[in-house]
Structures are given as C-alpha cells and as structure tokens.
C-alpha cells in the first residue's frame, strides 16, 4: 500500500515501447503524455517540478485492524438465521432485528471507547417496493456519527456503509436460512471496524477530523436499495453535504489462488460531456491514497446487471463508489443453503478470507481519514483558452487558514489517472503556457497544510457556438 505523494507519471503503452525507450536512453521528463509516441512536446518549454506536500502523518496501520472483532460480529449476524428485511424486527434471536441489535451493541462499545465522540443512532422508517409486496414495511438503519471539528466543514459528511439484511433464493421468503456472511455481513464489519479505527485514534494531533464521518449499516438492500435510498433523504434533511459515500458490499470471499487480491472499486462516469463524475474522482482519490497494489479501479457504475447501495447517491449526483471482492462466487450469493449434485450453495462464514477483509477495512478507514482531514473542494472550476496555444484553468474557493493551496491536475483524454501539473497558493486563474486545451483534461483539488487532498474537481469547458448557428 502506498501513501506517497501523487507525482506526475508517464504511462508506457507496451512492454516493447518501454524497452525501446530504455535502449534509446530516454530521460526526457513527461507529465500527462504517454511515452513512445511521436507527438510535439507539451509544453514546449521546460516546466519546473510541481510542489508536492507529503500525505498526512498517522496513516491507519494494517496491524491495527481487529480481524477477530470483525469475525465475531459476522458470526453474530449469521447466527440470526435470516436477516431478510421482511423477517422479524422484534425477535432477539432470529431475524433482521437480531442483527440490528448486534450491530448497535458493537457500535455502542466503540462509542464508549471513543470517550463519547461517536454517537450511535437507529433510524426507523417505512418504505415500499415490489419486493415488499407493494406495501409499506418497517425498516431500520443503524448509524455511528463522528461529528467534524471544523465549523466550516462539519456539515460535510463522508459515509462508509454495508447492508445488514440478507436473502435466501426466494427474496420474499422470511423463514428460510440466509446466513449472508459475505453479502453483506462482510461490508457491515468493514463499516463498524472503520468506526473503531477512526473514532478511537487522534486524527491530526487535535483528536478530530475536519469533516463528519458517518458509519452506516442499512437494511432493505435486497428489497430494492430501500435503506440507502432513505439514507440519501436523511442526510439531506440533516443539512449535510455528501463529500463521499463508500459502499462495501460482498467484500469478504477471496479464496482463489494468490489471495489476498486487490479489491475492486466501481465508479460511474456521470453525464457531463468531456468531464468525469464526482464518483469517478472519488475512486481516483481512494486509489491514490491506498495505492494501486490495493485498489483495482473499474470504470463501471457497478457489476454488470447488478446494483448496490451507492447507486441512489450516484443517481442523485453525489460522489459514491462500491467496493467488491476480486472474483465473485455466485454459488455463495442469494442462495438458500443446500447441496445439489455435489455442489454446495449458500453464503457461509467458512468462505470468508479475513486477511482480505482486513485489508478492505484498512483501505476504507485510511481513505476516510485523509478525505475527512482535507480542505473543502474548489468551486467553479473552468477551462478557458480555446483556439489559443495556452490552457487557462480558473476556480474559486472559500477562505481556509488550514489550506496550503491547490494542485492543478492534467491527463491525456485516454489516461485513467491524473498527474500534477503545478501548484497554486491561491484561487484564481493559472495559465498553462504551451498546453493544448484539446489534448488533455484538467482538474483542481485543494491541499491542506497537513497534506490531505480533496477529491479533484474537473474543469468544465467553455461552450462556444457552432459556426454558422446560434446553438451551443
């Protein structure tokens, strides 16, 4: 896992190109351009290396992850028999209410250890879908809230979530066993362990995070993303702005050779022309924080034909991503436990890999830590300079005594990751001399004096009328 500053990088399109460059003694610096091409250099003149602040000290250590505690919580949830949303909310030993009680109890233990900083809350509501028989049903979400310490950022919230309901083969069957160890007791365990890791440790020497952290276990996922859809409305009603939503769903089964593998991180592109969504930028930020050895970005809103609790946030235009294990086994998802023709079906505890699950917990916690320590996003990021030799990047920002400045980012339109072009101490306009507006995408992000970065805000381009028309 890497916590190195995000330096400009060159992408070599093939092993052959890399070998040829090495033989040629290539040492020409590059920013966003790919190596091995025959294109004019951009910019033509030499550019000083950008100023890069080191990442925040105090990274979450993998050794601090409590795999035994995660296992214990999953065992308690599995022992509830079924956690189908349509099962009992009042039986302390069987049904979805049994799981709620175990989650709330664990969060209350963590709250006590945090000296009361973590606040535990159960949100009760009703919802309706085709998978509730088109009738309103009772649901509950469990929240652990760690309030931000910065008055200007406390209403910005970063969310980590897993869903505690489970299902057998028949999604309307409240009686059959549905252990749901991987789907999604594993994600709940990640959310709860993130709460423990972040609420019991000092964040920046002052004992707090600038933004608010919300550790969530939602219900109703299998009945149609009901808990997370309600959560979008609840967060808005509390006056929060969502800085990022990290959904962990099916993050524990990693038994194929070579495990533990990287976790997959899904993000949708959004609907703005020539501009990535905030969800895609959240994905890039998480990969940069945790390292490419830990995170496999997948540029798709979710697995093909599937859905998860990040989706209502994504559709609301909010930054939201999904963590999912490297290679799913569908015999162990949405299946009533049984053996047929020698094949064992069911989502049992024995299929989990706790080394992998612990990695996922650490990666979530560290991403949340750094994002919650970062300054607010830049505003009004714009790209000017069309039909000129220079790109002009402009943005605005509120005053912030804890902010060191801003990083201006660029990348080839076909490149997945940003590179840092330059550093600016204040908002306004920066001219990138000799850099084409056509060949690259650009973005801006805030950098704290502590080294924490906000997610990137891509620039939106000027809309010029089509020649001979009045259309834009």
């Amino acid at each position: 896992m890497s916590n190195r500053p995000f330096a400009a990088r060159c992408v070599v399109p093939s092993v052959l190109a890399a070998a040829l460059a090495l033989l040629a003694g290539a040492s020409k610096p590059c920013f966003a351009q790919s190596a091995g091409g025959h294109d004019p250099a951009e910019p033509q003149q030499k550019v000083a290396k950008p100023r890069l602040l080191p990442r925040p000290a105090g990274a979450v250590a993998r050794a601090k992850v409590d795999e035994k505690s995660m296992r214990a919580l999953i065992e308690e949830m599995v022992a509830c028999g079924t956690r189908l949303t349509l099962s009992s909310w009042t039986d302390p030993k069987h049904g979805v209410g049994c799981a709620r009680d175990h989650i709330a109890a664990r969060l209350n233990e963590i709250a006590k250890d945090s000296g009361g900083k973590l606040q535990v809350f159960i949100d009760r509501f009703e919802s309706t879908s085709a998978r509730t028989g088109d009738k309103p049903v009772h649901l509950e979400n469990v929240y652990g809230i760690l309030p931000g310490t910065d008055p200007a950022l406390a209403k910005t919230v970063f969310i980590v979530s897993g869903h505690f309901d489970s299902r057998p083969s028949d999604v309307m069957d409240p009686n059959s066993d549905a252990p749901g160890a991987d789907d999604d007791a594993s994600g709940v365990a990640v959310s709860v362990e993130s709460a423990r890791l972040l609420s019991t440790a000092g964040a920046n020497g002052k004992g707090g995070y600038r933004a608010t952290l919300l550790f969530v276990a939602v219900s109703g996922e299998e009945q149609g993303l009901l808990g997370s859809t309600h959560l979008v409305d609840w967060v808005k009603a509390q006056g929060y702005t969502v800085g990022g939503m990290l959904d962990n769903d099916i993050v524990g089964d990693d038994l194929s050779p070579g495990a533990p593998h990287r976790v997959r991180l899904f993000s949708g592109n959004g609907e703005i022309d020539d501009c990535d969504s905030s969800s895609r930028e959240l994905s890039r930020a998480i990969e940069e924080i945790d390292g490419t050895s830990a995170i496999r970005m997948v540029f798709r809103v979710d697995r093909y034909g599937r859905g998860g609790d990040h989706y209502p946030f994504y559709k609301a235009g909010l930054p939201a991503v999904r963590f999912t294990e490297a290679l799913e086994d569908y015999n162990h998802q949405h299946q009533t436990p049984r053996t047929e023709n020698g094949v064992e079906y069911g989502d049992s505890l024995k299929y989990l890999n706790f080394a992998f699950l612990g990695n996922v917990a650490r990666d979530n916690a560290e991403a949340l830590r750094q994002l919650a320590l970062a300054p607010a996003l830049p505003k009004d990021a714009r790209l000017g300079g069309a039909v000129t030799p220079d790109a002009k990047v402009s943005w605005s920002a509120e005053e912030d005594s804890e902010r060191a400045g801003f990083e201006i980012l660029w990348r080839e339109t076909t490149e997945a990751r940003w590179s840092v072009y330059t550093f600016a101490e204040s908002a306004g306009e920066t001219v990138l001399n000799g850099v084409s507006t056509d060949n690259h995408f650009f973005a801006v992000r805030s950098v704290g004096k502590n080294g924490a970065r906000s997610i990137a805000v891509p620039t939106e381009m000027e809309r010029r009328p089509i020649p001979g028309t009045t259309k834009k």
Side-chain angles (χ1 to χ4, degrees), residues 34-311:
S34 297
H38 298 282
D39 307 314
E42 292 184 55
Q44 293 285 335
Q45 71 278 14
K46 185 177 180 180
V47 177
K49 290 184 178 180
R51 172 189 175 191
L52 296 173
L53 293 181
R55 285 279 174 176
V60 175
R62 176 61 177 84
K64 294 293 185 180
V65 177
D66 188 348
E67 292 178 17
K68 290 182 179 180
S69 177
M70 297 177 73
R71 177 188 286 270
L73 179 59
I74 294 172
E75 287 175 343
E76 290 173 337
M77 295 175 66
V78 168
C80 293
T82 181
R83 305 190 304 277
L84 190 79
T85 298
L86 305 180
S87 63
S88 174
W89 283 97
T90 58
D91 189 332
K93 295 184 178 180
H94 190 270
V96 66
C98 165
R100 172 211 56 214
D101 291 345
H102 288 301
I103 297 164
R106 180 67 184 120
L107 283 173
N108 278 312
E109 290 175 3
I110 294 169
K112 183 178 180 180
D113 292 340
S114 75
K117 289 188 294 183
L118 185 71
Q119 304 166 6
V120 181
F121 172 67
I122 296 178
D123 182 15
R124 298 177 174 88
F125 57 99
E126 288 188 344
S127 192
T128 305
S129 75
R131 290 185 175 185
T132 68
D134 293 317
K135 298 178 181 179
V137 297
H138 179 83
L139 293 99
E140 299 183 18
N141 292 341
V142 186
Y143 307 148
I145 307 169
L146 191 62
T149 60
D150 188 320
L153 289 171
K155 279 299 182 179
T156 296
V157 64
F158 291 92
I159 304 168
V160 58
S161 178
H163 70 86
F164 66 94
D165 60 308
S166 64
R167 58 162 291 183
S169 301
D170 180 358
V171 74
M172 302 295 287
D173 177 3
N175 300 311
S176 296
D177 282 349
D182 193 23
D183 187 12
D184 183 36
S186 65
V188 172
V190 166
S191 179
V192 172
E193 179 62 8
S194 295
R196 187 191 70 83
L197 289 165
L198 296 177
S199 65
T200 58
N204 56 4
K206 300 178 182 179
Y209 303 90
R210 301 190 71 185
T212 293
L213 291 168
L214 180 60
F215 309 95
V216 178
V218 298
S219 62
E221 195 270 354
E222 302 292 5
Q223 308 310 121
L225 311 180
L226 302 182
S228 55
T229 298
H230 170 78
L231 179 59
V232 173
D233 294 333
W234 183 87
V235 166
K236 182 178 179 181
Q238 306 309 306
Y240 286 118
T241 297
V242 176
M245 189 274 188
L246 282 59
D247 175 32
N248 288 265
D249 194 351
I250 311 179
V251 291
D253 183 350
D254 185 27
L255 298 180
S256 54
H261 298 95
R262 295 189 298 172
V263 67
R264 291 183 292 169
L265 186 62
F266 289 85
S267 64
N269 185 57
E271 299 174 354
I272 303 175
D273 291 344
D274 292 341
C275 181
D276 281 341
S277 70
S278 59
S279 296
R280 185 64 49 77
E281 299 307 340
L282 176 59
S283 177
R284 289 190 174 102
I286 293 170
E287 187 210 48
E288 184 179 331
I289 290 168
D290 292 326
T292 56
S293 63
I295 302 296
R296 179 183 181 182
M297 291 194 298
V298 182
F299 285 176
R300 171 172 272 158
V301 68
D302 207 332
R303 299 103 70 242
Y304 189 57
R306 307 288 292 278
D309 285 321
H310 64 305
Y311 189 72

Side-chain angles (χ1 to χ4, degrees), residues 335-355:
Q335 297 285 347
T336 302
R338 67 194 188 280
T339 300
E340 292 180 356
N341 300 319
V343 177
E344 191 170 5
Y345 296 90
D347 187 357
S348 301
L349 183 76
K350 66 182 180 181
Y351 297 117
L352 300 188
N353 180 329
F354 283 89

Side-chain angles (χ1 to χ4, degrees), residues 352-363:
L352 300 188
N353 180 329
F354 283 89
F356 172 76
L357 186 58
N359 289 348
V360 177
R362 185 270 171 197
D363 294 336

